[in-house]
Amino acid sequence: MCIAETAIIHDNVELGDNSSIGEYCIIGHPARGEASGKTLKIGAGANIRSHTIIYEGSEFGDQLSVGHSSILREGIRAGVNLQVGSINDLEGMAVIGDWVRFHSNVHVSRGTTIGDLVWIFPYVVTTNDPIPPSGLCEGVTLHAGSTVCTGSVVLPGTQVGVGAFIGAMTRAGGIIRSGALVIGNPAKMVGSVRRLKHVDSGKQHPWYTHHADAYPPKAQSRIAEILAEVETACDEIDSLSPR
């Protein structure tokens, strides 16, 4: 265990073995409402970098990794090996699966649900209020294996299918089918994710075919399940609009 002298660890924190807490972190920050006074549970092997604040009343699996100056609010239920970049704002009351990746400057609104092996890139915003400010909350759902690229906004109540890909600077809303590639403002499906191919390297989506080795052995069976579902979805989309 490595805890910086300037870090504040509140009494209602359960911190797993072999964890590291950086300078000026606040772990177990008091929350209001139904999460007030509830324990913050962080699994083994966490690495929480400087100036990060994590509120009470959340639960994170093993191998949590958080960058500098991020805020993780109350009521989050996250699986194993969540990686949160720097300057992230997770507004709480969210469900997050296993092996999820957030880059820097990501905003996750309250009520968001995120499946396993999802990637969210910088400056993405998920939203929840359909007519702000209204007090309404219609959470976004990002199903397993989906990807949201830089600068995109996901509108309240949006359902993003398994393995779908939201291109950079997209305004995504409604129901996005599994395996779909969507771009634009408003988002429009332009085919399946198979359209995404890097000419020089030959790498092509679905990404699980060339990036699975970046994940631990425990993730491989889940990756195979997602790949099978996405391949079927891509076949259906490609049959509608042959490449």
Side-chain angles (χ1 to χ4, degrees), residues 80-115:
V80 301
N81 195 211
L82 170 62
Q83 295 186 12
V84 177
S86 297
I87 321 176
N88 274 218
D89 179 14
L90 278 61
E91 280 295 296
M93 297 303 175
V95 177
I96 303 172
D98 296 329
W99 308 293
V100 171
R101 305 287 185 259
F102 298 148
H103 280 243
S104 297
N105 294 283
V106 171
H107 175 92
V108 177
S109 60
R110 293 174 79 84
T112 298
T113 299
I114 300 173

Side-chain angles (χ1 to χ4, degrees), residues 32 41 131 136 208:
R32 292 183 291 182
K41 299 179 181 180
I131 50 169
L136 299 173
Y208 332 105

Side-chain angles (χ1 to χ4, degrees), residues 136-202:
L136 299 173
C137 184
E138 298 178 6
V140 165
T141 298
L142 306 175
H143 286 285
S146 56
T147 300
V148 187
C149 288
T150 300
S152 293
V153 176
V154 187
L155 297 177
T158 301
Q159 300 280 325
V160 180
V162 175
F165 187 101
I166 299 174
M169 307 297 291
T170 292
R171 178 168 64 88
I175 298 175
I176 297 172
R177 65 188 296 169
S178 296
L181 168 61
V182 299
I183 59 173
N185 181 2
K188 178 181 179 181
M189 186 177 77
V190 294
S192 80
V193 296
R194 289 173 179 158
R195 289 193 61 180
L196 295 165
K197 184 174 182 178
H198 188 261
V199 175
D200 292 339
S201 68

Side-chain angles (χ1 to χ4, degrees), residues 54-94:
I54 304 181
Y55 279 60
E56 65 186 354
S58 289
E59 184 171 349
F60 299 90
D62 294 346
Q63 302 298 319
L64 170 67
S65 177
V66 185
H68 304 281
S69 302
S70 286
I71 299 176
L72 285 66
R73 295 288 298 272
E74 68 276 0
I76 297 172
R77 297 290 177 268
V80 301
N81 195 211
L82 170 62
Q83 295 186 12
V84 177
S86 297
I87 321 176
N88 274 218
D89 179 14
L90 278 61
E91 280 295 296
M93 297 303 175

